[in-house]
Amino acid sequence: MAERPEDLNLPNAVITRIIKEALPDGVNVSKEARRAISQAASVFVLYATSCANNFAMKAKRKTLNAGDVLAAMEEMEFERFLEPLREALEVYKKGQKGKKEVSEQKRKDKDKKTDSENDKSREEEEEEARMEEEPEADNEVEEEEVEN
Amino acid sequence: MKMSKRSPDKDDRTAASTKNISLPISRVRLIMKSSPDVCNINQDALFLTTKATHLALCSFNHGLGKESNSLSYSDLANTAEETETFHFLTDILPKKILARDYLKSLEEMQQEEEAADF
């Protein structure tokens, strides 16, 4: 197991946000309660993982998959989560597929360009790609210029 | 399945901005990996665990804080004990008792043992 348990906790800000979502407005949450919820979340993850892993091992697999996690939820008597989880997974998988297609398309376009153009244009084009991949760096540069 | 390795932060942020997820996937993966015997975790499994944790937290806190307008540790300990599906949390959310009550019950136990010895 890990040597530093605090690293296995979820960030406070995120926990606070989730608590705020679940509770009515203006409820005071003690520091102790917040820390306890954070620890409860970690314990949940561990319990679910251990349970899911049992299913994977039974099937002689070394990789946990979606089915294992869903089976774990049922085992843990959280059947009420199964439907929302399945729906969320569909949305997630579509999103992943879309992202993959977009980045594959970009790569294809890049390849086409570099094949047909000469060295000068290739330099310009590589700079463009760098700007695309690091929009934040660009923003920072712009801000500095504005201040100056 | 590989997530974009170049910018893991971007992926985490994307996950965070996705309507239904707010827990950082990388941290959840870290916790899952610390479990003994776990080798690999498929991307979908990681997503589902993150989402399930979110649902569990919402479910656990739901209905609390209404009467007293505050959420205390005791509320959580009570929920863990009273709700069957959250019994697994009773070890880390033990109910608190006053020290003097604990010492009193210790004394009583010792007295019972002594009586039994005779």
Side-chain angles (χ1 to χ4, degrees), chain B residues 1-2 11 16 41 67 74 79 91 108-109 112-113 118:
Chain B
M1 217 194 292
K2 280 186 190 173
D11 289 324
I41 304 159
E67 285 167 21
S74 309
T79 305
D91 279 346
E108 283 168 14
M109 275 196 323
E112 278 170 30
E113 280 174 27
F118 288 128

Side-chain angles (χ1 to χ4, degrees), chain B residues 38-67:
Chain B
V38 167
C39 296
N40 292 312
I41 304 159
N42 163 313
Q43 210 56 45
D44 289 350
L46 181 55
F47 167 82
L48 281 180
T49 306
T50 307
K51 178 86 184 133
T53 307
H54 188 180
L55 291 175
L57 285 180
C58 289
S59 170
F60 189 67
N61 287 304
H62 185 66
L64 296 178
K66 278 190 191 141
E67 285 167 21

Side-chain angles (χ1 to χ4, degrees), chain A residues 33-92:
Chain A
R34 211 195 340 243
R35 191 162 40 97
I37 292 175
S38 175
Q39 290 175 331
S42 303
V43 168
F44 177 86
V45 172
L46 282 173
Y47 183 18
T49 305
S50 161
C51 209
N53 199 40
N54 284 338
F55 286 106
M57 292 201 296
K58 248 188 255 175
K60 305 223 172 110
R61 268 182 286 108
K62 289 199 165 174
T63 304
L64 282 188
N65 64 25
D68 299 327
V69 177
L70 291 172
M73 288 301 116
E74 209 170 335
E75 179 87 5
M76 291 162 70
E77 294 182 34
F78 283 114
E79 290 100 348
R80 63 187 185 281
F81 290 173
L82 290 177
E83 205 41 56
L85 282 177
R86 283 197 192 106
E87 284 175 13
L89 184 63
E90 282 309 305
V91 176
Y92 172 76

Side-chain angles (χ1 to χ4, degrees), chain A residues 9 28 30 32 62 64 80, chain B residues 27 40 42 59 71 96:
Chain A
N9 279 327
N28 286 322
S30 74
E32 203 186 6
K62 289 199 165 174
L64 282 188
R80 63 187 185 281
Chain B
R27 193 71 65 93
N40 292 312
N42 163 313
S59 170
L71 184 69
K96 293 199 257 191

